[in-house]
Amino acid sequence: MKKLRSRFERFCYKHQNVGIPNLMLYVTVSSALVYLFTIVSQNNILYNILRFDLNLILQGQVWRLFTYAFTFNGGNLLFTAIGLLCYYSLGRAMENIWGTFRFNLFYLSGIVLMDVYAIIVGAAMNLDVSALVSIMYLNMSLFLGYATLYPDSQFLLLFIIPVRAWIFALVDLVMVVYELIVYPFPVNLFSVVALANYFLFFGKDVVNVIPMSWRANASRLFRKKGKKTAGKSGTIPFPGAGSYQATTAKPKAPYTHRCTVCGRTDVSNPELEFRYCSKCNGYYCYCEDHINNHTHIQ
């Protein structure tokens, strides 16, 4: 699985400029136009043409499988504008790190997974899922992805209170668990489908949502401490003369790669993979935990 993910990341990096550049600009502008048209015309004609409707999709209106991504509604004009601006910024930041191809694939796979689940549930249980398929779930996975890549970035809650992205990400995860408990099956799994797309693209990198200080404390807590004995530590006591450290230990082999963020090397941690960032101004190396989670050096 690790080799498969490495091949996938290399493939995405090789084709990073393939796809629709600045995809979130088209998504947010289209969503804004649909919302404004709905307000001005005072009807939901355009919204009803674009929204997800399983019965109409089965009759041949296949565009609804994708155009429901343009039906974002924040409730009123102010919150809709803030929401669209926020999601544009999040998507743009992720595209800058991943490249156009991988971000396009992430957004498209989120839409497709939601479509597949809705069609299976609707057909198998004879359930009208049209009102359950919402762009809100896809935007939630988008926010989780941003918080994983930029866990220490800050948002201004109520335009006043600074809150770090990882806190909002944990709140999103709590909401998913809440929906699993409160809502009945299969309604409670729509948010899980969006979460599955997030895990599919991030893998074990999802731990980056947890602050690095927490992870460091947890690793120190569960780290096995070796027994400190005279024979094993190499410290030889001398009566009345203190002690000295034996110099019989072999010197550490020189490393080839060293992470700029955490300092781990291919010698101290041979299980890690190391890569060099093309966006940093210089020859800077990062481990697999920080290649997508660091501040670019300019």
Side-chain angles (χ1 to χ4, degrees), residues 190-263:
F190 275 92
S191 59
V192 177
V193 172
L195 204 62
N197 183 57
Y198 163 71
F199 281 109
L200 178 65
F201 273 79
F202 282 89
K204 66 179 182 180
D205 289 340
V206 298
V207 299
N208 292 336
V209 172
I210 303 174
M212 189 175 295
S213 59
W214 290 17
R215 283 179 277 157
N217 292 334
S219 63
R220 283 195 294 267
L221 181 63
F222 293 103
R223 186 182 300 159
K224 295 182 179 180
K225 297 181 179 180
K227 296 181 179 179
K228 296 182 179 180
T229 59
K232 292 183 179 180
S233 64
T235 303
I236 304 175
F238 241 84
S243 62
Y244 69 93
Q245 188 76 20
T247 58
T248 56
K250 294 182 180 180
K252 292 183 179 180
Y255 59 83
T256 304
H257 304 292
R258 180 178 182 275
C259 179
T260 306
V261 176
C262 63

Side-chain angles (χ1 to χ4, degrees), residues 10-32:
R10 286 196 297 269
F11 180 80
C12 290
Y13 181 78
K14 185 177 180 180
H15 301 86
Q16 59 180 327
N17 294 324
V18 177
I20 305 175
N22 209 0
L23 174 64
M24 287 307 298
L25 177 63
Y26 298 104
V27 173
T28 53
V29 169
S30 299
S31 300

Side-chain angles (χ1 to χ4, degrees), residues 91-106:
R92 187 60 180 163
M94 290 181 64
E95 185 177 343
N96 288 337
I97 290 291
W98 276 357
T100 300
F101 178 76
R102 186 171 180 178
F103 179 75
N104 281 196
L105 198 60
F106 172 77

